[in-house]
Amino acid sequence: APYTFAWNNTATTEDLSGLMAGTYEVTVTDANGCTATESVEVTEPTVLFASGVATNVNCNGGSNGAIDLTVNGGTAPYTFAWNNTATTEDLSGLMAGTYEVTVTDANGCTATESVTVTEPTALVASGNVDANVSCNGGNDGAITVNVTGGTGEYSYAWTGMEEVAVVSQGFETTGSWNYLISPAVYNVSGDVWNIIEEFSGNIDAASEGTHFFGMRDLDNTNGGGAFAHTITFEAIDVSSYGELTLEFDYNIVGFDTSNGDLVEYIVEFDNGTEWGTPVTINTENPHTTAGWETMTITVPASANFVRLRLQGTQNGGSDYAGFDNVRLYQPAAEGPSLTDLAAGTYEVTVTDENGCTATESIEVTEPAVLVASGVATNVSCNGGNDGAVDLTVTGGTAPYTFA
């Protein structure tokens, strides 16, 4: 001693303070000129960084927003101070807004982050009467609901205009549409004309429930040869309904029309016993569906009855087919517009892709009953022309014409 110190940052003291991260080298010289060197590395943590990802609110005015905050760098553990007084890393149950957080690490270093949680514009349904009923008791009214805001596409549910089931048959233990089978059912040595659960590896399950009506190798001694095996459904009185939808499911594996194999149906809109020309479902050779498919037939509002016949014909093949889930129903009102309406109040619930809803009520009016009442003034003398009629008209919609 004494010693002198020469640091690579020009310092000459024995100890150093107030340093940034880096490598510090020192040469120590004693009184005799002897020297020693040392290198010391001062480290620092990585930059403290906070990044937030928002889950936006589904519906305007809702509170299901959330923020997932990720913190990197600094020195754990961290503390969190949000501008909504929360002290957790992540937030949930949020309304739309901007949320700011200060993250502090164990060394007192801080980082800030600002995250905005958004919400869609308000879902608003506004009704418009396109046409009121023109004559008292009529049904030519029309309405439209206009929708703004929300998210994505909309669906419409009109109160009192939901789907109405008329009859159905799923070949389970219950079913309201009665039917007759010709010939009688059989299931012998792989020849099948019967209600079953599966054709293993070909039709492995029903389209609904656990059973369907299956067909395989219909050309056999039990069935009597290659003729149409039929399922004939009873006539249903539909005179009290408007337009209906008739549906049934079918599944075909390998039926070939070039061999005379046919899967067909016939629909009649009367209460008779005659059947028209069948409609062939299997149109390819051979024909195999992609699983169960649905046939849909529109029943016009003018129909008084509906009859259905399902049938299969097989000319020696061992392919497979099935029918299931036969339904006759009045579809629910869909879409933003309704026509052919009687006077009344119609309510609709509109739902967007996020499940947000808005309701609207629209009133369709009709004029009062059109009434004409006449009072006569009789002719005073035989052959005279001083008679008169005073006609009074009420109701309806002015102006009136007279014929």
Side-chain angles (χ1 to χ4, degrees):
Y3 307 108
T4 61
F5 307 91
W7 292 90
N8 62 344
N9 69 341
T10 73
T12 57
T13 57
E14 180 175 359
D15 300 324
L16 302 182
S17 62
L19 300 178
M20 298 180 68
T23 299
Y24 295 86
E25 298 176 350
V26 63
T27 299
V28 181
T29 305
D30 68 4
N32 292 331
C34 303
T35 61
T37 60
E38 174 68 336
S39 179
V40 182
E41 184 177 5
V42 176
T43 64
E44 65 180 349
T46 56
V47 175
L48 181 62
F49 178 76
S51 176
V53 176
T55 298
N56 295 317
V57 175
N58 280 350
C59 302
N60 186 275
S63 58
N64 65 336
I67 296 175
D68 180 10
L69 189 70
T70 300
V71 179
N72 298 110
T75 304
Y78 311 110
T79 61
F80 307 90
W82 291 89
N83 63 343
N84 67 342
T85 73
T87 57
T88 56
E89 179 175 355
D90 301 323
L91 302 183
S92 61
L94 301 177
M95 298 183 69
T98 298
Y99 296 84
E100 298 177 351
V101 63
T102 298
V103 180
T104 304
D105 72 359
N107 291 335
C109 308
T110 61
T112 60
E113 172 68 335
S114 179
V115 184
T116 299
V117 176
T118 65
E119 64 183 350
T121 56
L123 182 65
V124 177
S126 176
N128 181 68
V129 177
D130 300 321
N132 285 310
V133 175
S134 56
C135 298
N136 187 276
N139 61 350
D140 59 348
I143 58 177
T144 297
V145 61
N146 300 305
V147 184
T148 59
T151 304
E153 296 184 356
Y154 311 119
S155 62
Y156 304 85
W158 294 89
T159 302
M161 306 183 78
E162 296 84 1
E163 179 180 304
V164 177
V166 181
V167 287
S168 64
Q169 182 55 253
F171 304 108
E172 307 294 338
T173 56
T174 60
S176 57
W177 201 347
N178 297 325
Y179 59 93
L180 295 175
I181 299 171
S182 179
V185 297
Y186 54 83
N187 192 337
V188 180
S189 301
D191 302 341
V192 178
W193 170 247
N194 207 344
I195 296 172
I196 60 174
E197 293 187 14
E198 65 174 359
F199 287 123
S200 182
N202 292 278
I203 303 176
D204 291 326
S207 72
E208 58 82 38
T210 58
H211 297 83
F212 64 93
F213 203 101
M215 298 174 281
R216 180 181 184 272
D217 199 4
L218 299 181
D219 182 12
N220 56 79
T221 56
N222 296 292
F227 65 91
H229 288 47
T230 62
I231 309 170
T232 303
F233 293 84
E234 67 178 338
I236 301 298
D237 185 345
V238 295
S239 58
S240 63
Y241 296 93
E243 184 176 283
L244 298 176
T245 297
L246 171 61
E247 290 182 347
F248 62 87
D249 296 340
Y250 61 93
N251 198 327
I252 304 171
V253 180
F255 270 57
D256 192 335
T257 57
S258 65
N259 295 332
D261 300 342
L262 298 170
V263 178
E264 301 171 308
Y265 72 91
I266 311 171
V267 178
E268 300 291 348
F269 301 128
D270 58 42
N271 195 22
T273 58
E274 299 296 322
W275 294 91
T277 302
V279 177
T280 301
I281 300 173
N282 58 311
T283 56
E284 300 174 0
N285 296 317
H287 190 114
T288 297
T289 58
W292 287 98
E293 298 182 3
T294 300
M295 181 65 66
T296 301
I297 301 119
T298 298
V299 179
S302 59
N304 290 320
F305 289 87
V306 176
R307 292 184 290 135
L308 171 66
R309 173 173 283 179
L310 304 177
Q311 58 190 50
T313 305
Q314 208 168 357
N315 193 20
S318 295
D319 299 315
Y320 309 82
F323 292 115
D324 200 9
N325 196 26
V326 183
R327 304 174 60 223
L328 179 63
Y329 63 95
Q330 188 168 57
E334 297 179 345
S337 299
L338 299 181
T339 59
D340 301 323
L341 300 177
T345 299
Y346 297 85
E347 185 173 285
V348 62
T349 298
V350 181
T351 305
D352 72 3
E353 287 184 356
N354 287 345
C356 312
T357 60
T359 60
E360 176 67 341
S361 182
I362 309 169
E363 183 179 8
V364 176
T365 63
E366 64 183 348
V369 177
L370 181 62
V371 177
S373 176
V375 177
T377 299
N378 296 319
V379 175
S380 56
C381 297
N382 184 276
N385 62 354
D386 59 344
V389 175
D390 181 10
L391 187 69
T392 301
V393 180
T394 60
T397 304
Y400 309 112
T401 60
F402 305 89

